[in-house]
Every structure is written in structure tokens, then in C-alpha cells.
Amino acid sequence: MGFFQPAIALMNRLNYPKKFLLISTLFILPLVLVAGLLFSEIHDRVAFAQKERVGITYLRALLSFSQSVQVNRRQAELGNSPNLAEMAAQFQTLTEVNRRYGTTLDVQTLFPELQDAWAQLDYPRLVEGVHRLRAHVGDCSNLILDPDLDSYYLMDATLLKLPEMRRVLFTLGAQLRQGNPDHEPPLTQLAVLQAKLEENLATAFRNNPKGNLKPVLQPQVGRFAQTLSSLSADSPDLEAQAFGALVESWQLWQSLTDELDGLLGDRIARFHQRQLMIAGFIGVILSVVGYLWVGFYRAVMETVGSLDLAATAMARGETVELTLVNKDELGQVVGAFNRIAKAVLAAEAKFRSIFENSVDGIFQTTPDGRYLSANPALAKMYGYESPAALGQGLTDIGTQLYVEGDRRAVFQKNLHESGQITDFESEVYRRDGSRLWIRENARAVTNDAGEILYYEGTVSDITERKIAEQALAQATAEIQSLNERLSEENLRMKGELVVARKLQQMILPRDSELLEIRDLEVAGFMQPADEVGGDYYDVLQEGGRVKIGIGDVTGHGLESGMVMLMVQMAVRTLLISQENDPIRFLNALNQAVYSNVQRMNTDKNLTLTLVDYEDGKMVFSGQHESILVVRANGEIECMDTVDLGFPIGLEERIEGFLDKLILYLQPNDVVVLYTDGVTEAENAQKELYGLPRLCTVLQQHHQRSAQEICQAIVENVRDHIQNHKIHDDITLLVLKQR
């Protein structure tokens, strides 16, 4: 069982569509790999044969030119005028073929030598150049490596035997024209080559599967052999006979290459046919498997769908007895489902225990304001000894519970409009007349006709948070008052700007505070563009939890600095109030800042990201610049924060735009937070510093300490800016997991 545990764990995490997709992928991958290798091998063989055909094409043009060279050389030696026009035409044809295939056959160094010999009409160099070019093309075009016996021996004849015989015949003719009487050695050599040629071609004929070579080539081979046999040292016209044999060798070479080209064409056609057969076979197999796989998948999903419908009916309180025709393992699931349905009544008792022991208040009330049920936590919250005493003491919720007389009416109006409410906050009375603040989440329960039967929901005590918000409001009011006084006293503005700048620097986290963070190295840097900047960063620790923030107020200067100070005060106050939910935290902060921004009659707002850190876990909320994460192996992750929030101070209510992102850090992982003053820093050429340059510096220095990483980034930004004016605040925060 332990061996299969990882597979079981994986299957348990996937739904059925994903399971089928995973298994199908694992099934198809080997098949695709094998098919790919097979097709690749066939493709390589086709390419091999096609290159051989290229070599034959080149050799045909080369033979035509060689034939013209030898004929005209003979004419020149006989004292006749050579046909240079024909040679030029043949060389032009060879040049065109070389242009098309010369690179493929790698003749860039040999062909220019042949061109030079042709330009000088140097017959010996032309003959030698043709010979070298022919041998090179044979080697480079795979011809000498052909795997089939019939085509191999045809290639042997065209590349080796016939060229050698032509050389001997031409040498014999040249000797005769020069009056050399020793003819026996060339004739003996021709006899040996003739015997070997006939032997090799006989082997090719025997190993020709289609049997079409022998009928076509044997007569011509016989005539050529008869011509060679008729050559005699005593013949008075031996030179003309040798030249005739030479002409027949050219004709035989042409016939051999034609048949060889046909064999290669047939081979390529067979390879293509084999590819089609394999593709068709694989397609049929995959179609059958796919058909059965879809049938299996639909059978499973129909069973799952029936279970889902039955579960929905059971949730409505209906008696369920599911019957299916499945005889497989899913039938066991159906049986288990039926047993579960019978156990629902027993489970209800367990849910009652949750109701009784919940730390939050739980209630059901009638629309006219009476309690149908309440749990002990709610009774204790309102100062009653028991839920029964609560029900007897509070008979009209609207007039007895809420401090504001119309609060119950607002509660009901919201429920009637949307069917449910969340985070409905009110001030209420306890039994002894004292007050507390509560937050309610509730929904309206209706019958089939849509008539409201009762309300049900939960209640949380938020008195401490409200006290903190009031303290926050008072603090921000004091900051607003200070800002107004600063605006009115224009004559003292310069000195007060200095004070504001010092205030900003004073509230920045001290090195001693950062060192107290147990599992995290923290390094920060902030440089305002003016006397007072609009950037914000802070690192606060409260009860083992670390709250980290970075933000950028629109613009910079005094107003932006004041908004930054308000944000810092708001974050610290909410942290002290122990508001742990990041979304409610950010929403409360926005409401306080928005109120002050409206009072200041300014259009300032800010992007702000807050980070809750504890034991290697980071929870991000709020919209700001992208978050850079450098893993210990140097890999960089860039996380967008656009969907995590909304600019602070721009709208009064932003809870609908808020979300959070969770990140887990491993040792030596680095997180970098920054404002746009870093990435948009300009040099004298108006070039932005940019995110890619920042990522490059991080990859180069991520193994160093947080302080060293921070210093390296700042120095790199300054090197980029040089003496150019800084137009925006530059703020940077580097966090590294120990």
C-alpha cells in the first residue's frame, strides 16, 4: 500500500476530467515517442536516398562535360579543331547544377579549380579536375554507402569501374596516337576490369527484388563486353576501336544511372508508403481506444452526476435511495452513499455540538424581531446566562438591542434586497445597559414561494477594533489639523518641510527593530525626490507576527508626505487592535484615509501592498508594483498585484476589490518590494532603469545578505541615473528568509 500512496494522493487531488486527461496523456506520450522515432528514422532514410539522387544529377552533368572534354582533346591530338561551343554549353549546364547542389555536396573548393582549368582550356587539368570532382561527389552524396546490393553495385559500376575503364581506354588511345607500341598492359587491365564489372552487375541483377534490372541492362552490358573483347593489339584500327568502346562506356554509364535513379525513386516511394501505413494504423488504434475511453468516461460521469443530484436532494431534507445498474466499483460508492444518507440523522447531533460550542454567536430570528434560537456564545456576548434567558429578555430586537433606532430596519432592507448581508456592523446594548460593537453575517431563509421564514447568521464582537478605529480617526484628525496649519503658515513652510522630512525618517523602522525579526532578514531604503516624499514603507512586529507595508502616494511633496504619515499611523493602530484579517484590515485603513483625503480637499491617493509574515508564510494584499521573488536557485518569479486591491483613498468602499495572495518561503528565498521610482528612474538619455535590469542585479547578488542586496540595487540605480535629476521617490525593501 505504501508503494502506491503517492499515486493515490495524486488521484485524490484531481477531478475525473483531470484524471482521464492525465492517464490519456501518459498513454499517448510513449506512443507518440515511438511513432516519432519511427517517422524520424524513415525521414532520415528518405533524406539519405534523396541526397544520393542529388549526387546522380550532379554526376550526369559532370559526365556530359567530361565526355565533351575527352572528345575534343582527342580531336586536338588528331590535329582537328575542337568543338569549343559544345564544351561551353556542357560546362554551363554543369555550372547551373553546381549552383543548385554545390553547397549540399561541399564542392566549393574543387569546382573553382575546374573553372580555372576550363578558362585556360588545360585538358590534363580538366581531366584531373573531373576525376577529383567525381570521386568527391560520390563520397559526399552517400552513393558509396548505399545499403541495398542492387543499387550498391550499380553505384560501384558508375563511380569506380566504368570511370576507371574510360581512363584506361583513353590512355590506350592516347598511346596509339603518340605511336607507343606497348598495348598489352592497358588491354590486360581492361580485361580484369571487364570481368569485375560483369561479376558485380550479375550480383546486382540477382539481388534486384523487382527483377527489372537484368532485362534492361544485360543486353547493353553484353554489347560493351563484346566490344572490349574485340580489342586486339594486332588490330590496325585499335585507336578507333578503343574510342568506340569509350563511347559505349558513356552510354552504359547513362543507362546504369537511369536505372539507379529509378531504384532510389522506388525506395523513397516505399518509405512514404510505409509512413502512410503506420500513420493509418496508429490512427485506427487511437480511434478505437478513444471511442472506448469516451464510453468509459461518460459512464463514470453519469454515475457521478446521479450521485450529485441525489446529494442535492438529501441536502434539501428529502429521503434518498439511489439505485444504479453499475456492477463495477462505482456500485460500491452508490451503496456507501445510501448508507451515508441513513447516517445523516446521527450526524445532525454532531452539528448541534458545533452550534453549542462555537466562539461566535449563532442565531435564528423571526422577521418581527424575536429569537427562534441562539447559541451560548451569543447569550454570553449580550450578557445573558443562557440562550433561553436571551430569548425571554429580548422580545423586540429592533427596539431593545440596537443603539440606533432604525438599524433593524436597515438590516431587514438589505436582506430583502440581496438575500444575505456580510460585515453588517452595529452598536448594541448588553443586558446591563453597556454597549458593544458587533459584526453580523446573515441570510434570509425562504420557502418555495419565496416568502421569508426567518433570518439566520453569526455575530462577532468587534468592540476592540472599533476602539482602535476611533483612536485611528482621532490620530488622523490630528494629522489633518497639522496639515491645515502647515498650509496656512506659508512663511514658515521651509522649516516645516524639514520637520516633516525628519518625521518621515523618524517613523522608518530602526535597524534594531529589523534585527529582532527572528526568521527574516530585512533591509530598506528610501530617498525622496523632494524635501518630503510620498513613498511609504514600514516593518512592524506584534505578538510574533510581522506586518510589512510598502506604498506610493501620487506625486510627492508635503501633501503626499502627510498622506504617507496617515497611512503609517493607520497601519500601526490597526495592528495594535489585532485585526488579523488582511482584507478587513485594508478596508478599514482605506475608510480612514479616504475620510481625511476628502477633508484635506486633495486628490492624493496611493497604491499600497501589505504583507503578513509568520514562520515562512507571506500573505499579500493590496495593489502596488509587481512583487519579485528570487528563489534560492536563482529562479525569479514576478507576481502581479493588480487583482489584490484598489488605490487607497480613491473610493470610500473597496472591499469588493480586495483579495489576498499566499506565498511560502524556503531558506535563502528573497522577496523584493519597490516603488515605481526604482523601475522608472531615468538617465540623461531618458532611458528608464526598468524591471529587467532590476531582475539581473537580483540574480547576480541574491546569495548575499538582504542589506548587501539592497545596497547593490541602490548603487546600480544610481549608476544608471548618474547626475540626472531624480523625478520620483525611490523606495526599496529586501526580505530574505533565513
PDB file of all heavy atoms in Angstrom, residues 583 586-587 590 621-623 641-647 650-660:
ATOM      1  N   ILE A 583      -7.970  41.510   4.527  1.00  0.00           N
ATOM      2  CA  ILE A 583      -8.942  42.252   3.706  1.00  0.00           C
ATOM      3  C   ILE A 583      -9.678  43.272   4.565  1.00  0.00           C
ATOM      4  O   ILE A 583      -9.849  44.440   4.182  1.00  0.00           O
ATOM      5  CB  ILE A 583      -9.904  41.264   3.026  1.00  0.00           C
ATOM      6  CG1 ILE A 583      -9.123  40.407   2.014  1.00  0.00           C
ATOM      7  CG2 ILE A 583     -11.046  42.002   2.348  1.00  0.00           C
ATOM      8  CD1 ILE A 583      -9.959  39.372   1.305  1.00  0.00           C
ATOM      9  N   LEU A 586      -7.259  46.136   5.395  1.00  0.00           N
ATOM     10  CA  LEU A 586      -7.054  47.096   4.321  1.00  0.00           C
ATOM     11  C   LEU A 586      -8.295  47.941   4.087  1.00  0.00           C
ATOM     12  O   LEU A 586      -8.211  49.129   3.773  1.00  0.00           O
ATOM     13  CB  LEU A 586      -6.662  46.338   3.042  1.00  0.00           C
ATOM     14  CG  LEU A 586      -5.868  47.103   1.987  1.00  0.00           C
ATOM     15  CD1 LEU A 586      -4.587  47.668   2.586  1.00  0.00           C
ATOM     16  CD2 LEU A 586      -5.518  46.173   0.830  1.00  0.00           C
ATOM     17  N   ASN A 587      -9.475  47.351   4.267  1.00  0.00           N
ATOM     18  CA  ASN A 587     -10.719  48.097   4.070  1.00  0.00           C
ATOM     19  C   ASN A 587     -10.870  49.186   5.131  1.00  0.00           C
ATOM     20  O   ASN A 587     -11.240  50.330   4.833  1.00  0.00           O
ATOM     21  CB  ASN A 587     -11.910  47.141   4.102  1.00  0.00           C
ATOM     22  CG  ASN A 587     -13.202  47.827   3.724  1.00  0.00           C
ATOM     23  OD1 ASN A 587     -13.277  48.546   2.735  1.00  0.00           O
ATOM     24  ND2 ASN A 587     -14.231  47.628   4.526  1.00  0.00           N
ATOM     25  N   ASN A 590      -8.469  52.008   4.418  1.00  0.00           N
ATOM     26  CA  ASN A 590      -8.929  52.845   3.303  1.00  0.00           C
ATOM     27  C   ASN A 590     -10.007  53.821   3.752  1.00  0.00           C
ATOM     28  O   ASN A 590     -10.013  54.983   3.346  1.00  0.00           O
ATOM     29  CB  ASN A 590      -9.461  51.942   2.184  1.00  0.00           C
ATOM     30  CG  ASN A 590     -10.076  52.745   1.062  1.00  0.00           C
ATOM     31  OD1 ASN A 590      -9.392  53.387   0.286  1.00  0.00           O
ATOM     32  ND2 ASN A 590     -11.403  52.738   0.984  1.00  0.00           N
ATOM     33  N   SER A 621      -1.703  41.495   0.322  1.00  0.00           N
ATOM     34  CA  SER A 621      -2.974  42.105  -0.034  1.00  0.00           C
ATOM     35  C   SER A 621      -2.699  43.547  -0.451  1.00  0.00           C
ATOM     36  O   SER A 621      -1.765  44.181   0.017  1.00  0.00           O
ATOM     37  CB  SER A 621      -3.963  42.057   1.136  1.00  0.00           C
ATOM     38  OG  SER A 621      -3.430  42.731   2.264  1.00  0.00           O
ATOM     39  N   GLY A 622      -3.539  44.057  -1.345  1.00  0.00           N
ATOM     40  CA  GLY A 622      -3.397  45.433  -1.785  1.00  0.00           C
ATOM     41  C   GLY A 622      -2.677  45.550  -3.112  1.00  0.00           C
ATOM     42  O   GLY A 622      -1.836  44.731  -3.478  1.00  0.00           O
ATOM     43  N   GLN A 623      -3.020  46.600  -3.858  1.00  0.00           N
ATOM     44  CA  GLN A 623      -2.500  46.818  -5.216  1.00  0.00           C
ATOM     45  C   GLN A 623      -1.283  47.735  -5.188  1.00  0.00           C
ATOM     46  O   GLN A 623      -1.319  48.814  -4.610  1.00  0.00           O
ATOM     47  CB  GLN A 623      -3.612  47.426  -6.076  1.00  0.00           C
ATOM     48  CG  GLN A 623      -3.237  47.631  -7.529  1.00  0.00           C
ATOM     49  CD  GLN A 623      -4.300  48.390  -8.281  1.00  0.00           C
ATOM     50  OE1 GLN A 623      -4.172  49.589  -8.499  1.00  0.00           O
ATOM     51  NE2 GLN A 623      -5.369  47.694  -8.648  1.00  0.00           N
ATOM     52  N   THR A 641       0.097  42.374  -8.666  1.00  0.00           N
ATOM     53  CA  THR A 641      -0.791  42.682  -7.539  1.00  0.00           C
ATOM     54  C   THR A 641      -2.027  43.439  -7.975  1.00  0.00           C
ATOM     55  O   THR A 641      -2.774  43.941  -7.130  1.00  0.00           O
ATOM     56  CB  THR A 641      -0.036  43.512  -6.482  1.00  0.00           C
ATOM     57  OG1 THR A 641       0.338  44.777  -7.071  1.00  0.00           O
ATOM     58  CG2 THR A 641       1.211  42.794  -5.999  1.00  0.00           C
ATOM     59  N   VAL A 642      -2.288  43.522  -9.294  1.00  0.00           N
ATOM     60  CA  VAL A 642      -3.418  44.323  -9.773  1.00  0.00           C
ATOM     61  C   VAL A 642      -4.731  43.812  -9.206  1.00  0.00           C
ATOM     62  O   VAL A 642      -5.625  44.592  -8.850  1.00  0.00           O
ATOM     63  CB  VAL A 642      -3.439  44.300 -11.324  1.00  0.00           C
ATOM     64  CG1 VAL A 642      -4.714  44.956 -11.837  1.00  0.00           C
ATOM     65  CG2 VAL A 642      -2.229  45.030 -11.875  1.00  0.00           C
ATOM     66  N   ASP A 643      -4.892  42.481  -9.121  1.00  0.00           N
ATOM     67  CA  ASP A 643      -6.155  41.908  -8.656  1.00  0.00           C
ATOM     68  C   ASP A 643      -6.238  41.800  -7.140  1.00  0.00           C
ATOM     69  O   ASP A 643      -7.207  41.236  -6.611  1.00  0.00           O
ATOM     70  CB  ASP A 643      -6.342  40.515  -9.274  1.00  0.00           C
ATOM     71  CG  ASP A 643      -6.468  40.586 -10.781  1.00  0.00           C
ATOM     72  OD1 ASP A 643      -6.943  41.629 -11.270  1.00  0.00           O
ATOM     73  OD2 ASP A 643      -6.092  39.618 -11.467  1.00  0.00           O
ATOM     74  N   LEU A 644      -5.237  42.293  -6.397  1.00  0.00           N
ATOM     75  CA  LEU A 644      -5.249  42.151  -4.939  1.00  0.00           C
ATOM     76  C   LEU A 644      -5.848  43.369  -4.236  1.00  0.00           C
ATOM     77  O   LEU A 644      -5.978  43.365  -3.006  1.00  0.00           O
ATOM     78  CB  LEU A 644      -3.826  41.915  -4.418  1.00  0.00           C
ATOM     79  CG  LEU A 644      -3.103  40.664  -4.934  1.00  0.00           C
ATOM     80  CD1 LEU A 644      -1.753  40.527  -4.259  1.00  0.00           C
ATOM     81  CD2 LEU A 644      -3.943  39.417  -4.697  1.00  0.00           C
ATOM     82  N   GLY A 645      -6.205  44.433  -4.964  1.00  0.00           N
ATOM     83  CA  GLY A 645      -6.729  45.591  -4.258  1.00  0.00           C
ATOM     84  C   GLY A 645      -7.100  46.731  -5.171  1.00  0.00           C
ATOM     85  O   GLY A 645      -7.310  46.555  -6.378  1.00  0.00           O
ATOM     86  N   PHE A 646      -7.159  47.933  -4.572  1.00  0.00           N
ATOM     87  CA  PHE A 646      -7.599  49.139  -5.257  1.00  0.00           C
ATOM     88  C   PHE A 646      -6.855  50.299  -4.616  1.00  0.00           C
ATOM     89  O   PHE A 646      -6.477  50.232  -3.440  1.00  0.00           O
ATOM     90  CB  PHE A 646      -9.121  49.297  -5.061  1.00  0.00           C
ATOM     91  CG  PHE A 646      -9.759  50.270  -5.999  1.00  0.00           C
ATOM     92  CD1 PHE A 646     -10.048  49.899  -7.308  1.00  0.00           C
ATOM     93  CD2 PHE A 646     -10.084  51.552  -5.585  1.00  0.00           C
ATOM     94  CE1 PHE A 646     -10.649  50.789  -8.177  1.00  0.00           C
ATOM     95  CE2 PHE A 646     -10.677  52.436  -6.442  1.00  0.00           C
ATOM     96  CZ  PHE A 646     -10.960  52.065  -7.746  1.00  0.00           C
ATOM     97  N   PRO A 647      -6.582  51.376  -5.368  1.00  0.00           N
ATOM     98  CA  PRO A 647      -5.874  52.501  -4.760  1.00  0.00           C
ATOM     99  C   PRO A 647      -6.540  52.994  -3.475  1.00  0.00           C
ATOM    100  O   PRO A 647      -7.762  53.155  -3.405  1.00  0.00           O
ATOM    101  CB  PRO A 647      -5.907  53.564  -5.868  1.00  0.00           C
ATOM    102  CG  PRO A 647      -5.956  52.767  -7.128  1.00  0.00           C
ATOM    103  CD  PRO A 647      -6.814  51.583  -6.813  1.00  0.00           C
ATOM    104  N   LEU A 650      -9.096  56.546  -2.825  1.00  0.00           N
ATOM    105  CA  LEU A 650      -9.754  56.968  -4.062  1.00  0.00           C
ATOM    106  C   LEU A 650     -11.265  56.785  -3.982  1.00  0.00           C
ATOM    107  O   LEU A 650     -12.028  57.596  -4.494  1.00  0.00           O
ATOM    108  CB  LEU A 650      -9.191  56.168  -5.236  1.00  0.00           C
ATOM    109  CG  LEU A 650      -9.554  56.653  -6.636  1.00  0.00           C
ATOM    110  CD1 LEU A 650      -9.056  58.067  -6.869  1.00  0.00           C
ATOM    111  CD2 LEU A 650      -8.974  55.711  -7.689  1.00  0.00           C
ATOM    112  N   GLU A 651     -11.714  55.704  -3.337  1.00  0.00           N
ATOM    113  CA  GLU A 651     -13.134  55.427  -3.131  1.00  0.00           C
ATOM    114  C   GLU A 651     -13.342  55.069  -1.662  1.00  0.00           C
ATOM    115  O   GLU A 651     -12.441  54.560  -0.992  1.00  0.00           O
ATOM    116  CB  GLU A 651     -13.593  54.261  -4.017  1.00  0.00           C
ATOM    117  CG  GLU A 651     -13.533  54.530  -5.513  1.00  0.00           C
ATOM    118  CD  GLU A 651     -14.601  55.511  -5.963  1.00  0.00           C
ATOM    119  OE1 GLU A 651     -15.577  55.698  -5.212  1.00  0.00           O
ATOM    120  OE2 GLU A 651     -14.453  56.101  -7.061  1.00  0.00           O
ATOM    121  N   GLU A 652     -14.563  55.314  -1.188  1.00  0.00           N
ATOM    122  CA  GLU A 652     -14.836  55.070   0.231  1.00  0.00           C
ATOM    123  C   GLU A 652     -14.908  53.580   0.534  1.00  0.00           C
ATOM    124  O   GLU A 652     -14.427  53.129   1.565  1.00  0.00           O
ATOM    125  CB  GLU A 652     -16.143  55.755   0.630  1.00  0.00           C
ATOM    126  CG  GLU A 652     -16.468  55.591   2.124  1.00  0.00           C
ATOM    127  CD  GLU A 652     -17.719  56.346   2.529  1.00  0.00           C
ATOM    128  OE1 GLU A 652     -18.415  56.891   1.645  1.00  0.00           O
ATOM    129  OE2 GLU A 652     -18.005  56.398   3.749  1.00  0.00           O
ATOM    130  N   ARG A 653     -15.499  52.799  -0.353  1.00  0.00           N
ATOM    131  CA  ARG A 653     -15.676  51.368  -0.114  1.00  0.00           C
ATOM    132  C   ARG A 653     -14.898  50.599  -1.190  1.00  0.00           C
ATOM    133  O   ARG A 653     -15.136  50.787  -2.389  1.00  0.00           O
ATOM    134  CB  ARG A 653     -17.154  50.976  -0.202  1.00  0.00           C
ATOM    135  CG  ARG A 653     -18.092  51.780   0.675  1.00  0.00           C
ATOM    136  CD  ARG A 653     -17.988  51.416   2.139  1.00  0.00           C
ATOM    137  NE  ARG A 653     -18.353  50.034   2.396  1.00  0.00           N
ATOM    138  CZ  ARG A 653     -18.493  49.531   3.619  1.00  0.00           C
ATOM    139  NH1 ARG A 653     -18.279  50.291   4.691  1.00  0.00           N
ATOM    140  NH2 ARG A 653     -18.828  48.273   3.785  1.00  0.00           N
ATOM    141  N   ILE A 654     -13.977  49.766  -0.778  1.00  0.00           N
ATOM    142  CA  ILE A 654     -13.186  48.995  -1.749  1.00  0.00           C
ATOM    143  C   ILE A 654     -13.173  47.502  -1.418  1.00  0.00           C
ATOM    144  O   ILE A 654     -12.406  46.746  -2.012  1.00  0.00           O
ATOM    145  CB  ILE A 654     -11.731  49.504  -1.803  1.00  0.00           C
ATOM    146  CG1 ILE A 654     -11.023  49.273  -0.458  1.00  0.00           C
ATOM    147  CG2 ILE A 654     -11.669  50.952  -2.215  1.00  0.00           C
ATOM    148  CD1 ILE A 654      -9.542  49.541  -0.509  1.00  0.00           C
ATOM    149  N   GLU A 655     -14.047  47.064  -0.465  1.00  0.00           N
ATOM    150  CA  GLU A 655     -13.953  45.669  -0.045  1.00  0.00           C
ATOM    151  C   GLU A 655     -14.217  44.698  -1.202  1.00  0.00           C
ATOM    152  O   GLU A 655     -13.717  43.573  -1.213  1.00  0.00           O
ATOM    153  CB  GLU A 655     -14.927  45.362   1.101  1.00  0.00           C
ATOM    154  CG  GLU A 655     -16.402  45.639   0.778  1.00  0.00           C
ATOM    155  CD  GLU A 655     -16.825  47.049   1.168  1.00  0.00           C
ATOM    156  OE1 GLU A 655     -15.947  47.921   1.239  1.00  0.00           O
ATOM    157  OE2 GLU A 655     -18.005  47.268   1.403  1.00  0.00           O
ATOM    158  N   GLY A 656     -15.001  45.124  -2.199  1.00  0.00           N
ATOM    159  CA  GLY A 656     -15.266  44.248  -3.336  1.00  0.00           C
ATOM    160  C   GLY A 656     -14.076  44.041  -4.240  1.00  0.00           C
ATOM    161  O   GLY A 656     -14.079  43.152  -5.097  1.00  0.00           O
ATOM    162  N   PHE A 657     -13.049  44.894  -4.105  1.00  0.00           N
ATOM    163  CA  PHE A 657     -11.869  44.784  -4.965  1.00  0.00           C
ATOM    164  C   PHE A 657     -10.699  44.083  -4.271  1.00  0.00           C
ATOM    165  O   PHE A 657      -9.642  43.923  -4.882  1.00  0.00           O
ATOM    166  CB  PHE A 657     -11.399  46.184  -5.394  1.00  0.00           C
ATOM    167  CG  PHE A 657     -12.424  46.945  -6.170  1.00  0.00           C
ATOM    168  CD1 PHE A 657     -13.264  47.850  -5.533  1.00  0.00           C
ATOM    169  CD2 PHE A 657     -12.559  46.744  -7.528  1.00  0.00           C
ATOM    170  CE1 PHE A 657     -14.208  48.557  -6.249  1.00  0.00           C
ATOM    171  CE2 PHE A 657     -13.500  47.451  -8.249  1.00  0.00           C
ATOM    172  CZ  PHE A 657     -14.341  48.355  -7.610  1.00  0.00           C
ATOM    173  N   LEU A 658     -10.863  43.718  -3.022  1.00  0.00           N
ATOM    174  CA  LEU A 658      -9.730  43.223  -2.235  1.00  0.00           C
ATOM    175  C   LEU A 658      -9.600  41.715  -2.335  1.00  0.00           C
ATOM    176  O   LEU A 658     -10.585  40.987  -2.401  1.00  0.00           O
ATOM    177  CB  LEU A 658      -9.884  43.639  -0.769  1.00  0.00           C
ATOM    178  CG  LEU A 658      -9.959  45.150  -0.510  1.00  0.00           C
ATOM    179  CD1 LEU A 658     -10.129  45.431   0.961  1.00  0.00           C
ATOM    180  CD2 LEU A 658      -8.713  45.845  -1.036  1.00  0.00           C
ATOM    181  N   ASP A 659      -8.397  41.249  -2.330  1.00  0.00           N
ATOM    182  CA  ASP A 659      -8.111  39.821  -2.336  1.00  0.00           C
ATOM    183  C   ASP A 659      -6.748  39.625  -1.676  1.00  0.00           C
ATOM    184  O   ASP A 659      -6.077  40.601  -1.301  1.00  0.00           O
ATOM    185  CB  ASP A 659      -8.098  39.279  -3.768  1.00  0.00           C
ATOM    186  CG  ASP A 659      -8.365  37.775  -3.814  1.00  0.00           C
ATOM    187  OD1 ASP A 659      -8.331  37.127  -2.739  1.00  0.00           O
ATOM    188  OD2 ASP A 659      -8.598  37.247  -4.910  1.00  0.00           O
ATOM    189  N   LYS A 660      -6.348  38.399  -1.527  1.00  0.00           N
ATOM    190  CA  LYS A 660      -5.049  38.129  -0.911  1.00  0.00           C
ATOM    191  C   LYS A 660      -4.320  37.032  -1.679  1.00  0.00           C
ATOM    192  O   LYS A 660      -4.927  36.232  -2.387  1.00  0.00           O
ATOM    193  CB  LYS A 660      -5.210  37.736   0.556  1.00  0.00           C
ATOM    194  CG  LYS A 660      -6.052  36.470   0.783  1.00  0.00           C
ATOM    195  CD  LYS A 660      -6.246  36.232   2.272  1.00  0.00           C
ATOM    196  CE  LYS A 660      -7.133  34.990   2.517  1.00  0.00           C
ATOM    197  NZ  LYS A 660      -7.345  34.764   3.942  1.00  0.00           N
TER     198      LYS A 660
END
